Amino acid sequence: MSPRSSIVFHVNSRRFQVSGRDCLRTLAEFLRREHGLTGTKVVCAEGDCGACTVLCASIHQAVGGRLRYQAVNSCILPLYVLDACHVITVEGLQDGAALHPVQTALVENFAAQCGYCTPGFACAMTALAEEARREGRTAVSEKKARNELTGNLCRCTGYDSILKAAQTVRLDPTRGLAERYHNTERIREFTELSARSVAIESGGVAVFLPASLEKALELRKRLPGLKVVGGATDLGVLVNKGLESPVAILSLQHVAQLRLVRRDGGWAEVGAGVTLSALQPFAEEQAPELGRLLNVFASPQIKNRATMVGNVVNASPVGDLIPFLLVSDADLTLKSADAERAVPLDGFYRGYKRTDLRPEELATAIRFRLPSAGSLTRLYKASRRKDLDISAVAFAARLELEGRVIRSARVAFAGVAPTVVRLKELEEEWTGAEFSRALFELSARRLTSLVSPISDVRGSREFRLKLCRNFLLKFHDDVRAEVAP
Ligand SMILES: Cc1cc2nc3c(=O)[nH]c(=O)nc-3n(C[C@H](O)[C@H](O)[C@H](O)COP(=O)(O)OP(=O)(O)OC[C@H]3O[C@@H](n4cnc5c(N)ncnc54)[C@H](O)[C@@H]3O)c2cc1C
Ligand code: FES
Ligand code: FES
């Protein structure tokens, strides 16, 4: 099958076909400037405020033959990632003359002041309502609303009425977006499209969406300069800030082999195409501490796109998932057209934002050890704000004990060095020692010789050191009750 030379997506049921340089435009710009869909607002342009939230359903996340609409930030989404997706904007929520139940609830609860954030809230809340309906719930709980609206800011602080609105939405069990917009012809078209690779080489850009891993690896070999794209959440921000402007793209969204998440004995394997939202239920069941951490990772809008592999390869010194993966003995599967290697994550980072990934390779999956019965794992994150914020310091530790004696120890910190680090000296000192507060207090005092955080907008060196010390002691105090007396 010859590759396609354009991408296709639908917006509020209208079909669009885009090629050339236009594929690099953001969805927000496309909606507002090209099509007058100005209900979608842009404020921060970096995924942080939710004003640009729209609903997006990818053919790859369809459930039972129905598209599943999730909230995403249109300001950081390049159009090429929307191939075979249906987007619903705030203009598409209304059903004929009737407001969507979410819009009615917002009106009835006086949940808008200046109204600039309101379309974003309406879309995020609709995603929440769609999920509640899918799960057979009749209402959205306050807890759920608080957790799931973290990606939306209201600067007029109308939160009380917004939260009330979320809880009073009258969910119609038979007529949600999934039913209203269900169209077998669309599903058929998207299914066919996603099975056929895209190769756009016109207008000074090259955009490839291979339909198989083999094709992706061939491209990586032939054109090693292509920018690999997972969820585009890191990349989208860099592009908007003018820090990167890739015009040669390899997007992995149609590679089914990369969307695998599975348990293999005591190990988990997460493919490069698995979004953090898709990972969350697995994590909650198999690695509850990771599940808990994902609750304070970014926002639903970001997690609906971001991947674990993207977090790892991005190599940020404050990547939140990396400390957990380091204490879980993770390794990355790196594939090229001619070879495959498993690289321990502890050794993958070569310096600030530098990794061992070769130009011809793709990271296809990450494997990590699941917590065994009796092992003690904790993950902590300190940021200026609980939700949707970058860590000042993140911490992970995992101990295995025999009675009160530590048999194996892993400790990792983010935010204290140019890369996330494992404290191997500390791990050695702990191994064979008796679990005691005195041991952890001694380690906390020694930390200044083991880590060297810098001062920046997220915290001073002294503040970060204090956080590190407190995390060590907190870890001891949190797990103490689980250790034999
Ligand atoms: C508003 C906002 C909030 C955020 N909050 C957090 C947070 O709380 N904690 C946190 O740690 N991060 C956070 N991030 C950062 C980001 O969302 C994560 O790092 C995310 O996991 C990146 O995944 P992605 O798939 O979107 O990566 P992408 O943006 O697609 O890619 C990131 C990098 O990895 C490379 N890459 C991706 N996949 C592959 C692959 N398979 N093979 C080779 N290279 C690859 C890309 O070339 C690129 O250099 C946030 C970002 C935003 C915009
Ligand atoms: S404009 Fe703020 S998240 Fe997109
Ligand atoms: S109503 Fe004004 S910012 Fe939310």
Side-chain angles (χ1 to χ4, degrees), residues 152-194:
N152 296 75
L153 292 182
C154 172
R155 289 152 183 90
C156 310
T157 67
Y159 289 113
D160 246 12
S161 39
I162 290 169
L163 287 171
K164 268 194 210 123
Q167 293 164 75
T168 54
V169 175
R170 287 185 284 277
L171 298 175
D172 181 339
T174 57
R175 198 162 164 77
L177 290 186
E179 289 79 23
R180 268 174 55 198
Y181 280 101
H182 182 60
N183 179 326
T184 44
E185 186 50 34
R186 176 179 297 127
I187 303 271
R188 193 190 54 74
E189 183 189 16
F190 285 0
T191 307
E192 284 172 13
L193 286 171
S194 63

mmCIF file of all heavy atoms in Angstrom, residues 152-194:
data_model
loop_
_atom_site.group_PDB
_atom_site.id
_atom_site.type_symbol
_atom_site.label_atom_id
_atom_site.label_comp_id
_atom_site.label_asym_id
_atom_site.label_seq_id
_atom_site.Cartn_x
_atom_site.Cartn_y
_atom_site.Cartn_z
ATOM 1 N N ASN A 152 -7.202 22.833 34.556
ATOM 2 C CA ASN A 152 -7.885 24.082 34.164
ATOM 3 C C ASN A 152 -7.768 25.118 35.267
ATOM 4 O O ASN A 152 -8.091 24.837 36.423
ATOM 5 C CB ASN A 152 -9.369 23.797 33.898
ATOM 6 C CG ASN A 152 -9.552 22.866 32.723
ATOM 7 O OD1 ASN A 152 -9.325 21.661 32.828
ATOM 8 N ND2 ASN A 152 -9.919 23.421 31.598
ATOM 9 N N LEU A 153 -7.327 26.303 34.898
ATOM 10 C CA LEU A 153 -7.212 27.398 35.867
ATOM 11 C C LEU A 153 -8.320 28.414 35.617
ATOM 12 O O LEU A 153 -8.602 28.755 34.463
ATOM 13 C CB LEU A 153 -5.882 28.125 35.706
ATOM 14 C CG LEU A 153 -4.608 27.374 36.064
ATOM 15 C CD1 LEU A 153 -3.414 28.288 35.881
ATOM 16 C CD2 LEU A 153 -4.666 26.868 37.491
ATOM 17 N N CYS A 154 -8.909 28.917 36.705
ATOM 18 C CA CYS A 154 -9.840 30.035 36.602
ATOM 19 C C CYS A 154 -9.225 31.168 37.401
ATOM 20 O O CYS A 154 -9.076 31.066 38.612
ATOM 21 C CB CYS A 154 -11.195 29.645 37.173
ATOM 22 S SG CYS A 154 -12.297 31.066 37.288
ATOM 23 N N ARG A 155 -8.875 32.218 36.715
ATOM 24 C CA ARG A 155 -8.176 33.303 37.402
ATOM 25 C C ARG A 155 -9.116 34.153 38.243
ATOM 26 O O ARG A 155 -8.690 34.943 39.062
ATOM 27 C CB ARG A 155 -7.415 34.159 36.393
ATOM 28 C CG ARG A 155 -6.232 33.389 35.841
ATOM 29 C CD ARG A 155 -5.881 33.863 34.447
ATOM 30 N NE ARG A 155 -4.783 33.062 33.909
ATOM 31 C CZ ARG A 155 -4.958 31.939 33.211
ATOM 32 N NH1 ARG A 155 -6.170 31.466 32.999
ATOM 33 N NH2 ARG A 155 -3.921 31.271 32.750
ATOM 34 N N CYS A 156 -10.427 34.024 37.991
ATOM 35 C CA CYS A 156 -11.382 34.776 38.813
ATOM 36 C C CYS A 156 -11.742 33.981 40.061
ATOM 37 O O CYS A 156 -12.629 34.388 40.810
ATOM 38 C CB CYS A 156 -12.665 35.042 38.048
ATOM 39 S SG CYS A 156 -12.409 35.736 36.442
ATOM 40 N N THR A 157 -11.121 32.830 40.237
ATOM 41 C CA THR A 157 -11.359 31.938 41.377
ATOM 42 C C THR A 157 -12.831 31.578 41.564
ATOM 43 O O THR A 157 -13.361 31.644 42.660
ATOM 44 C CB THR A 157 -10.789 32.514 42.694
ATOM 45 O OG1 THR A 157 -11.536 33.679 43.039
ATOM 46 C CG2 THR A 157 -9.328 32.837 42.575
ATOM 47 N N GLY A 158 -13.446 31.187 40.480
ATOM 48 C CA GLY A 158 -14.838 30.739 40.583
ATOM 49 C C GLY A 158 -14.916 29.248 40.890
ATOM 50 O O GLY A 158 -15.883 28.589 40.505
ATOM 51 N N TYR A 159 -13.912 28.732 41.577
ATOM 52 C CA TYR A 159 -13.827 27.267 41.717
ATOM 53 C C TYR A 159 -15.008 26.635 42.435
ATOM 54 O O TYR A 159 -15.437 25.545 42.087
ATOM 55 C CB TYR A 159 -12.532 26.872 42.438
ATOM 56 C CG TYR A 159 -11.315 27.074 41.584
ATOM 57 C CD1 TYR A 159 -10.373 28.034 41.905
ATOM 58 C CD2 TYR A 159 -11.117 26.320 40.434
ATOM 59 C CE1 TYR A 159 -9.259 28.237 41.103
ATOM 60 C CE2 TYR A 159 -10.022 26.516 39.629
ATOM 61 C CZ TYR A 159 -9.095 27.472 39.968
ATOM 62 O OH TYR A 159 -8.013 27.668 39.173
ATOM 63 N N ASP A 160 -15.515 27.316 43.469
ATOM 64 C CA ASP A 160 -16.613 26.721 44.235
ATOM 65 C C ASP A 160 -17.793 26.399 43.321
ATOM 66 O O ASP A 160 -18.315 25.278 43.317
ATOM 67 C CB ASP A 160 -17.065 27.720 45.308
ATOM 68 C CG ASP A 160 -16.771 27.177 46.679
ATOM 69 O OD1 ASP A 160 -16.029 26.179 46.758
ATOM 70 O OD2 ASP A 160 -17.301 27.745 47.657
ATOM 71 N N SER A 161 -18.167 27.406 42.527
ATOM 72 C CA SER A 161 -19.337 27.188 41.664
ATOM 73 C C SER A 161 -18.987 26.222 40.522
ATOM 74 O O SER A 161 -19.855 25.462 40.067
ATOM 75 C CB SER A 161 -19.870 28.518 41.135
ATOM 76 O OG SER A 161 -18.817 29.375 40.818
ATOM 77 N N ILE A 162 -17.736 26.226 40.080
ATOM 78 C CA ILE A 162 -17.341 25.282 39.015
ATOM 79 C C ILE A 162 -17.446 23.845 39.546
ATOM 80 O O ILE A 162 -17.973 22.948 38.875
ATOM 81 C CB ILE A 162 -15.914 25.603 38.513
ATOM 82 C CG1 ILE A 162 -15.927 26.928 37.738
ATOM 83 C CG2 ILE A 162 -15.363 24.481 37.651
ATOM 84 C CD1 ILE A 162 -14.555 27.495 37.410
ATOM 85 N N LEU A 163 -16.958 23.637 40.767
ATOM 86 C CA LEU A 163 -17.023 22.283 41.342
ATOM 87 C C LEU A 163 -18.474 21.856 41.568
ATOM 88 O O LEU A 163 -18.827 20.696 41.352
ATOM 89 C CB LEU A 163 -16.226 22.215 42.652
ATOM 90 C CG LEU A 163 -14.704 22.245 42.458
ATOM 91 C CD1 LEU A 163 -13.992 22.406 43.789
ATOM 92 C CD2 LEU A 163 -14.221 20.979 41.750
ATOM 93 N N LYS A 164 -19.301 22.811 41.993
ATOM 94 C CA LYS A 164 -20.737 22.492 42.182
ATOM 95 C C LYS A 164 -21.352 22.104 40.839
ATOM 96 O O LYS A 164 -22.107 21.146 40.735
ATOM 97 C CB LYS A 164 -21.476 23.714 42.742
ATOM 98 C CG LYS A 164 -21.528 23.699 44.252
ATOM 99 C CD LYS A 164 -22.549 24.728 44.759
ATOM 100 C CE LYS A 164 -22.083 25.231 46.118
ATOM 101 N NZ LYS A 164 -21.916 26.684 46.191
ATOM 102 N N ALA A 165 -21.008 22.866 39.807
ATOM 103 C CA ALA A 165 -21.554 22.569 38.481
ATOM 104 C C ALA A 165 -21.176 21.138 38.076
ATOM 105 O O ALA A 165 -22.033 20.369 37.603
ATOM 106 C CB ALA A 165 -21.022 23.579 37.462
ATOM 107 N N ALA A 166 -19.916 20.773 38.290
ATOM 108 C CA ALA A 166 -19.473 19.423 37.885
ATOM 109 C C ALA A 166 -20.310 18.350 38.569
ATOM 110 O O ALA A 166 -20.643 17.329 37.975
ATOM 111 C CB ALA A 166 -17.995 19.242 38.218
ATOM 112 N N GLN A 167 -20.665 18.613 39.837
ATOM 113 C CA GLN A 167 -21.410 17.585 40.586
ATOM 114 C C GLN A 167 -22.898 17.570 40.265
ATOM 115 O O GLN A 167 -23.593 16.625 40.634
ATOM 116 C CB GLN A 167 -21.225 17.826 42.088
ATOM 117 C CG GLN A 167 -19.791 17.594 42.536
ATOM 118 C CD GLN A 167 -19.555 18.206 43.903
ATOM 119 O OE1 GLN A 167 -19.993 17.654 44.903
ATOM 120 N NE2 GLN A 167 -18.893 19.350 43.935
ATOM 121 N N THR A 168 -23.379 18.625 39.606
ATOM 122 C CA THR A 168 -24.827 18.650 39.331
ATOM 123 C C THR A 168 -25.149 18.404 37.856
ATOM 124 O O THR A 168 -26.296 18.558 37.445
ATOM 125 C CB THR A 168 -25.437 20.008 39.771
ATOM 126 O OG1 THR A 168 -24.690 21.042 39.145
ATOM 127 C CG2 THR A 168 -25.399 20.191 41.274
ATOM 128 N N VAL A 169 -24.126 18.027 37.085
ATOM 129 C CA VAL A 169 -24.388 17.733 35.661
ATOM 130 C C VAL A 169 -25.397 16.588 35.578
ATOM 131 O O VAL A 169 -25.221 15.552 36.226
ATOM 132 C CB VAL A 169 -23.079 17.322 34.934
ATOM 133 C CG1 VAL A 169 -23.370 16.891 33.506
ATOM 134 C CG2 VAL A 169 -22.065 18.455 34.952
ATOM 135 N N ARG A 170 -26.456 16.781 34.795
ATOM 136 C CA ARG A 170 -27.457 15.707 34.648
ATOM 137 C C ARG A 170 -26.996 14.770 33.524
ATOM 138 O O ARG A 170 -27.129 15.086 32.337
ATOM 139 C CB ARG A 170 -28.832 16.313 34.350
ATOM 140 C CG ARG A 170 -29.434 16.993 35.586
ATOM 141 C CD ARG A 170 -30.843 17.503 35.337
ATOM 142 N NE ARG A 170 -30.880 18.725 34.555
ATOM 143 C CZ ARG A 170 -30.718 19.964 35.057
ATOM 144 N NH1 ARG A 170 -30.501 20.132 36.351
ATOM 145 N NH2 ARG A 170 -30.761 21.019 34.278
ATOM 146 N N LEU A 171 -26.405 13.662 33.968
ATOM 147 C CA LEU A 171 -25.835 12.731 32.985
ATOM 148 C C LEU A 171 -26.947 11.972 32.275
ATOM 149 O O LEU A 171 -27.778 11.338 32.922
ATOM 150 C CB LEU A 171 -24.910 11.730 33.687
ATOM 151 C CG LEU A 171 -23.687 12.313 34.403
ATOM 152 C CD1 LEU A 171 -22.938 11.220 35.160
ATOM 153 C CD2 LEU A 171 -22.759 12.966 33.394
ATOM 154 N N ASP A 172 -26.972 12.049 30.958
ATOM 155 C CA ASP A 172 -27.970 11.305 30.188
ATOM 156 C C ASP A 172 -27.337 9.974 29.791
ATOM 157 O O ASP A 172 -26.363 9.939 29.040
ATOM 158 C CB ASP A 172 -28.333 12.124 28.937
ATOM 159 C CG ASP A 172 -29.386 11.428 28.074
ATOM 160 O OD1 ASP A 172 -29.519 10.198 28.211
ATOM 161 O OD2 ASP A 172 -30.042 12.119 27.286
ATOM 162 N N PRO A 173 -27.874 8.863 30.317
ATOM 163 C CA PRO A 173 -27.211 7.570 30.066
ATOM 164 C C PRO A 173 -27.203 7.176 28.594
ATOM 165 O O PRO A 173 -26.403 6.353 28.174
ATOM 166 C CB PRO A 173 -28.014 6.572 30.907
ATOM 167 C CG PRO A 173 -29.287 7.253 31.258
ATOM 168 C CD PRO A 173 -29.070 8.735 31.146
ATOM 169 N N THR A 174 -28.105 7.740 27.783
ATOM 170 C CA THR A 174 -28.207 7.263 26.403
ATOM 171 C C THR A 174 -27.679 8.249 25.367
ATOM 172 O O THR A 174 -27.584 7.929 24.195
ATOM 173 C CB THR A 174 -29.675 6.964 26.036
ATOM 174 O OG1 THR A 174 -30.418 8.168 26.260
ATOM 175 C CG2 THR A 174 -30.249 5.820 26.860
ATOM 176 N N ARG A 175 -27.408 9.472 25.780
ATOM 177 C CA ARG A 175 -27.057 10.447 24.752
ATOM 178 C C ARG A 175 -25.858 11.296 25.175
ATOM 179 O O ARG A 175 -25.956 12.504 25.427
ATOM 180 C CB ARG A 175 -28.270 11.333 24.443
ATOM 181 C CG ARG A 175 -28.113 12.036 23.110
ATOM 182 C CD ARG A 175 -29.419 12.545 22.570
ATOM 183 N NE ARG A 175 -29.173 13.520 21.499
ATOM 184 C CZ ARG A 175 -28.815 13.191 20.271
ATOM 185 N NH1 ARG A 175 -28.654 11.932 19.930
ATOM 186 N NH2 ARG A 175 -28.603 14.134 19.360
ATOM 187 N N GLY A 176 -24.726 10.652 25.242
ATOM 188 C CA GLY A 176 -23.487 11.376 25.462
ATOM 189 C C GLY A 176 -22.868 11.711 24.116
ATOM 190 O O GLY A 176 -23.442 11.422 23.062
ATOM 191 N N LEU A 177 -21.661 12.296 24.154
ATOM 192 C CA LEU A 177 -20.978 12.614 22.893
ATOM 193 C C LEU A 177 -20.709 11.355 22.087
ATOM 194 O O LEU A 177 -20.802 11.353 20.859
ATOM 195 C CB LEU A 177 -19.648 13.306 23.163
ATOM 196 C CG LEU A 177 -19.656 14.732 23.707
ATOM 197 C CD1 LEU A 177 -18.231 15.250 23.745
ATOM 198 C CD2 LEU A 177 -20.522 15.627 22.863
ATOM 199 N N ALA A 178 -20.356 10.274 22.807
ATOM 200 C CA ALA A 178 -20.008 9.023 22.116
ATOM 201 C C ALA A 178 -21.177 8.550 21.252
ATOM 202 O O ALA A 178 -20.975 8.016 20.157
ATOM 203 C CB ALA A 178 -19.605 7.964 23.123
ATOM 204 N N GLU A 179 -22.421 8.738 21.751
ATOM 205 C CA GLU A 179 -23.596 8.315 20.967
ATOM 206 C C GLU A 179 -23.946 9.369 19.915
ATOM 207 O O GLU A 179 -24.207 9.038 18.756
ATOM 208 C CB GLU A 179 -24.820 8.089 21.871
ATOM 209 C CG GLU A 179 -24.724 6.861 22.761
ATOM 210 C CD GLU A 179 -23.865 7.079 23.987
ATOM 211 O OE1 GLU A 179 -23.693 8.245 24.383
ATOM 212 O OE2 GLU A 179 -23.339 6.079 24.515
ATOM 213 N N ARG A 180 -23.961 10.633 20.363
ATOM 214 C CA ARG A 180 -24.371 11.694 19.428
ATOM 215 C C ARG A 180 -23.484 11.726 18.190
ATOM 216 O O ARG A 180 -23.953 11.960 17.076
ATOM 217 C CB ARG A 180 -24.271 13.046 20.130
ATOM 218 C CG ARG A 180 -25.542 13.487 20.787
ATOM 219 C CD ARG A 180 -25.315 14.744 21.566
ATOM 220 N NE ARG A 180 -24.748 15.811 20.753
ATOM 221 C CZ ARG A 180 -24.143 16.881 21.252
ATOM 222 N NH1 ARG A 180 -24.033 17.018 22.552
ATOM 223 N NH2 ARG A 180 -23.667 17.814 20.458
ATOM 224 N N TYR A 181 -22.205 11.547 18.406
ATOM 225 C CA TYR A 181 -21.275 11.663 17.279
ATOM 226 C C TYR A 181 -20.893 10.308 16.681
ATOM 227 O O TYR A 181 -20.009 10.239 15.839
ATOM 228 C CB TYR A 181 -20.011 12.425 17.714
ATOM 229 C CG TYR A 181 -20.220 13.935 17.746
ATOM 230 C CD1 TYR A 181 -20.452 14.595 18.941
ATOM 231 C CD2 TYR A 181 -20.187 14.683 16.574
ATOM 232 C CE1 TYR A 181 -20.644 15.982 18.966
ATOM 233 C CE2 TYR A 181 -20.382 16.059 16.594
ATOM 234 C CZ TYR A 181 -20.606 16.698 17.783
ATOM 235 O OH TYR A 181 -20.797 18.054 17.798
ATOM 236 N N HIS A 182 -21.545 9.243 17.176
ATOM 237 C CA HIS A 182 -21.165 7.922 16.644
ATOM 238 C C HIS A 182 -21.517 7.835 15.152
ATOM 239 O O HIS A 182 -22.601 8.211 14.730
ATOM 240 C CB HIS A 182 -21.885 6.812 17.413
ATOM 241 C CG HIS A 182 -21.493 5.454 16.931
ATOM 242 N ND1 HIS A 182 -20.189 5.018 16.979
ATOM 243 C CD2 HIS A 182 -22.205 4.454 16.356
ATOM 244 C CE1 HIS A 182 -20.122 3.810 16.453
ATOM 245 N NE2 HIS A 182 -21.326 3.442 16.070
ATOM 246 N N ASN A 183 -20.564 7.335 14.389
ATOM 247 C CA ASN A 183 -20.757 7.283 12.940
ATOM 248 C C ASN A 183 -19.894 6.137 12.422
ATOM 249 O O ASN A 183 -18.655 6.201 12.488
ATOM 250 C CB ASN A 183 -20.294 8.644 12.376
ATOM 251 C CG ASN A 183 -20.409 8.720 10.881
ATOM 252 O OD1 ASN A 183 -20.227 7.725 10.181
ATOM 253 N ND2 ASN A 183 -20.696 9.902 10.377
ATOM 254 N N THR A 184 -20.537 5.076 11.975
ATOM 255 C CA THR A 184 -19.772 3.886 11.579
ATOM 256 C C THR A 184 -18.847 4.203 10.395
ATOM 257 O O THR A 184 -17.762 3.639 10.271
ATOM 258 C CB THR A 184 -20.716 2.721 11.185
ATOM 259 O OG1 THR A 184 -21.742 3.258 10.378
ATOM 260 C CG2 THR A 184 -21.310 2.051 12.402
ATOM 261 N N GLU A 185 -19.277 5.133 9.561
ATOM 262 C CA GLU A 185 -18.460 5.511 8.399
ATOM 263 C C GLU A 185 -17.138 6.151 8.855
ATOM 264 O O GLU A 185 -16.059 5.884 8.324
ATOM 265 C CB GLU A 185 -19.283 6.503 7.537
ATOM 266 C CG GLU A 185 -18.664 6.893 6.219
ATOM 267 C CD GLU A 185 -18.208 5.698 5.386
ATOM 268 O OE1 GLU A 185 -18.851 4.622 5.417
ATOM 269 O OE2 GLU A 185 -17.176 5.861 4.730
ATOM 270 N N ARG A 186 -17.241 6.977 9.911
ATOM 271 C CA ARG A 186 -16.034 7.630 10.446
ATOM 272 C C ARG A 186 -15.073 6.578 11.024
ATOM 273 O O ARG A 186 -13.882 6.600 10.765
ATOM 274 C CB ARG A 186 -16.427 8.631 11.537
ATOM 275 C CG ARG A 186 -15.211 9.287 12.205
ATOM 276 C CD ARG A 186 -15.614 10.298 13.272
ATOM 277 N NE ARG A 186 -16.359 11.390 12.714
ATOM 278 C CZ ARG A 186 -17.544 11.796 13.141
ATOM 279 N NH1 ARG A 186 -18.114 11.215 14.170
ATOM 280 N NH2 ARG A 186 -18.178 12.785 12.555
ATOM 281 N N ILE A 187 -15.646 5.639 11.770
ATOM 282 C CA ILE A 187 -14.811 4.595 12.399
ATOM 283 C C ILE A 187 -14.106 3.796 11.299
ATOM 284 O O ILE A 187 -12.913 3.495 11.390
ATOM 285 C CB ILE A 187 -15.677 3.631 13.258
ATOM 286 C CG1 ILE A 187 -16.444 4.412 14.312
ATOM 287 C CG2 ILE A 187 -14.858 2.491 13.830
ATOM 288 C CD1 ILE A 187 -15.751 4.630 15.616
ATOM 289 N N ARG A 188 -14.872 3.471 10.266
ATOM 290 C CA ARG A 188 -14.289 2.685 9.166
ATOM 291 C C ARG A 188 -13.161 3.481 8.494
ATOM 292 O O ARG A 188 -12.070 2.975 8.273
ATOM 293 C CB ARG A 188 -15.388 2.330 8.138
ATOM 294 C CG ARG A 188 -14.973 1.264 7.122
ATOM 295 C CD ARG A 188 -15.991 1.125 5.990
ATOM 296 N NE ARG A 188 -16.294 2.370 5.312
ATOM 297 C CZ ARG A 188 -15.473 2.982 4.456
ATOM 298 N NH1 ARG A 188 -14.310 2.464 4.163
ATOM 299 N NH2 ARG A 188 -15.824 4.126 3.889
ATOM 300 N N GLU A 189 -13.431 4.750 8.228
ATOM 301 C CA GLU A 189 -12.408 5.570 7.563
ATOM 302 C C GLU A 189 -11.142 5.660 8.422
ATOM 303 O O GLU A 189 -10.029 5.447 7.944
ATOM 304 C CB GLU A 189 -12.937 6.992 7.277
ATOM 305 C CG GLU A 189 -11.893 7.817 6.527
ATOM 306 C CD GLU A 189 -12.208 9.300 6.379
ATOM 307 O OE1 GLU A 189 -13.072 9.826 7.085
ATOM 308 O OE2 GLU A 189 -11.519 9.932 5.550
ATOM 309 N N PHE A 190 -11.320 5.941 9.728
ATOM 310 C CA PHE A 190 -10.153 6.098 10.619
ATOM 311 C C PHE A 190 -9.363 4.790 10.726
ATOM 312 O O PHE A 190 -8.144 4.787 10.772
ATOM 313 C CB PHE A 190 -10.598 6.542 12.020
ATOM 314 C CG PHE A 190 -11.001 8.004 12.121
ATOM 315 C CD1 PHE A 190 -10.960 8.843 11.014
ATOM 316 C CD2 PHE A 190 -11.410 8.539 13.331
ATOM 317 C CE1 PHE A 190 -11.323 10.185 11.109
ATOM 318 C CE2 PHE A 190 -11.772 9.876 13.444
ATOM 319 C CZ PHE A 190 -11.734 10.701 12.323
ATOM 320 N N THR A 191 -10.099 3.672 10.763
ATOM 321 C CA THR A 191 -9.424 2.375 10.882
ATOM 322 C C THR A 191 -8.561 2.137 9.639
ATOM 323 O O THR A 191 -7.403 1.719 9.739
ATOM 324 C CB THR A 191 -10.465 1.236 11.040
ATOM 325 O OG1 THR A 191 -11.325 1.591 12.110
ATOM 326 C CG2 THR A 191 -9.817 -0.101 11.322
ATOM 327 N N GLU A 192 -9.139 2.432 8.474
ATOM 328 C CA GLU A 192 -8.376 2.244 7.226
ATOM 329 C C GLU A 192 -7.187 3.201 7.168
ATOM 330 O O GLU A 192 -6.081 2.824 6.805
ATOM 331 C CB GLU A 192 -9.291 2.472 6.012
ATOM 332 C CG GLU A 192 -10.207 1.281 5.793
ATOM 333 C CD GLU A 192 -11.266 1.551 4.715
ATOM 334 O OE1 GLU A 192 -11.139 2.551 3.967
ATOM 335 O OE2 GLU A 192 -12.214 0.766 4.657
ATOM 336 N N LEU A 193 -7.436 4.458 7.560
ATOM 337 C CA LEU A 193 -6.359 5.455 7.500
ATOM 338 C C LEU A 193 -5.182 5.038 8.380
ATOM 339 O O LEU A 193 -4.016 5.120 7.979
ATOM 340 C CB LEU A 193 -6.866 6.817 7.997
ATOM 341 C CG LEU A 193 -7.795 7.604 7.068
ATOM 342 C CD1 LEU A 193 -8.379 8.808 7.811
ATOM 343 C CD2 LEU A 193 -7.038 8.075 5.832
ATOM 344 N N SER A 194 -5.482 4.584 9.597
ATOM 345 C CA SER A 194 -4.390 4.326 10.542
ATOM 346 C C SER A 194 -3.590 3.087 10.154
ATOM 347 O O SER A 194 -2.490 2.871 10.653
ATOM 348 C CB SER A 194 -4.925 4.208 11.967
ATOM 349 O OG SER A 194 -5.782 3.105 12.048
#
